[in-house]
Amino acid sequence: MSAGYKTVGQMAYDVIRECIITGVMAPGEHLRQEELAERLGVSRIPVRTALMQLEAEGLVSFHPHRGAVVRTLTVEQVREIYELRVLLESHALRKSIARMTSARAARLRELGTALDEPHDSSSLAEERADFYRELYDAAENPVAVGIIEDLRNSVGSYLLGLRVGHDQGGHRELAKLAARGDTDAAVSHLEEHLAIVAHRIIAVLSEEAETAPVTRPRRRKSS
């Protein structure tokens, strides 16, 4: 069996997950198993298995009478996610900078510069993941980076689908600070960035909540 071989179930999972994280499938969108199976050219079984796995990861929710939908987040959940991200990512960044090598510093600058260049959104999620894995030295901190990526993926559809992202030049600046070993400045830059992104996502969610139509309960007919 070749190293690149994927089962039908793994393929279905990878495709649906990528669509959610990149915002192709928007928060709240219905994920109809029959339609997904037809689009992917597979049976419903691997699609359902993939959706259940994505539910366990917090990317999909199952609702009675509605089936599977792309998970939506509340303002409170976004605040909690970003509180955790600040704690974990500042910790990972400090550890990474303490072990910075010239090779990693050069690679980090290269990734940061490339990520800030205009490019199409289809590759943005992958390039962003590569940058932060290098920034947090994923090879030496696999558990912490795994948790960080799960938290980032839980808001990924908002970051890309709602076009909430890093300010222009922000990755390049963060890479420069980390590469030269300026720990306090790098951590401060990271924490400021996370606070700004959290604020933007919350603003979008609050605006959507204000403009959403109000569903009033139906009155019971008097007997």
Side-chain angles (χ1 to χ4, degrees):
M1 184 181 294
S2 67
Y5 177 81
K6 287 185 179 182
T7 65
V8 172
Q10 184 65 44
M11 182 274 290
Y13 164 81
D14 287 345
V15 171
I16 297 170
R17 183 177 184 274
E18 182 72 12
C19 286
I20 292 173
I21 291 173
T22 59
V24 173
M25 295 175 175
E29 181 174 337
H30 287 228
L31 301 173
R32 296 176 176 83
Q33 293 179 38
E34 298 87 348
E35 182 181 325
L36 288 172
E38 183 177 348
R39 287 166 61 184
L40 296 174
V42 301
S43 70
R44 288 180 56 187
I45 295 174
V47 170
R48 178 162 181 79
T49 301
L51 293 176
M52 291 174 69
Q53 188 174 349
L54 291 165
E55 180 189 30
E57 294 179 16
L59 296 176
V60 167
S61 300
F62 280 90
H63 298 280
H65 312 300
R66 295 177 62 199
V69 299
V70 179
R71 184 187 178 199
T72 56
L73 296 173
T74 65
V75 168
E76 291 73 20
Q77 287 169 331
V78 170
R79 286 199 179 103
E80 184 176 8
I81 286 168
Y82 275 89
E83 286 171 2
L84 290 171
R85 286 191 63 180
V86 167
L87 291 173
L88 285 168
E89 295 187 43
S90 59
H91 169 73
L93 182 55
R94 288 183 184 279
K95 287 186 67 177
S96 172
I97 292 175
R99 291 194 298 262
M100 186 65 67
T101 65
S102 57
R104 280 191 55 234
R107 176 64 175 155
L108 194 56
R109 288 193 183 98
E110 178 185 336
L111 291 170
T113 298
L115 191 54
D116 281 340
E117 294 296 325
H119 49 288
D120 88 46
S121 59
S122 63
S123 63
L124 182 56
E126 184 177 350
E127 290 186 29
R128 186 175 60 191
D130 288 343
F131 172 79
Y132 283 105
R133 284 170 190 158
E134 193 66 62
L135 181 67
Y136 300 140
D137 197 7
E140 297 297 326
N141 296 295
V143 175
V145 171
I147 297 170
I148 288 167
E149 290 190 346
D150 284 344
L151 290 171
R152 187 185 307 121
N153 288 340
S154 70
V155 294
S157 54
Y158 291 92
L159 296 175
L160 291 172
L162 300 177
R163 303 191 181 279
V164 176
H166 214 301
D167 290 332
Q168 186 65 29
H171 296 99
R172 186 185 299 111
E173 177 65 17
L174 181 54
K176 181 181 74 173
L177 293 171
R180 75 185 186 197
D182 195 342
T183 304
D184 289 342
V187 170
S188 177
H189 182 88
L190 173 68
E191 291 178 347
E192 181 181 359
H193 160 63
L194 291 174
I196 290 171
V197 174
H199 176 77
R200 289 176 179 171
I201 294 176
I202 288 169
V204 170
L205 290 175
S206 299
E207 182 179 346
E208 287 185 344
E210 289 176 1
T211 57
V214 177
T215 303
R216 300 184 182 279
R218 297 174 64 184
R219 291 184 178 180
R220 292 183 178 179
K221 293 181 179 180
S222 57
S223 55

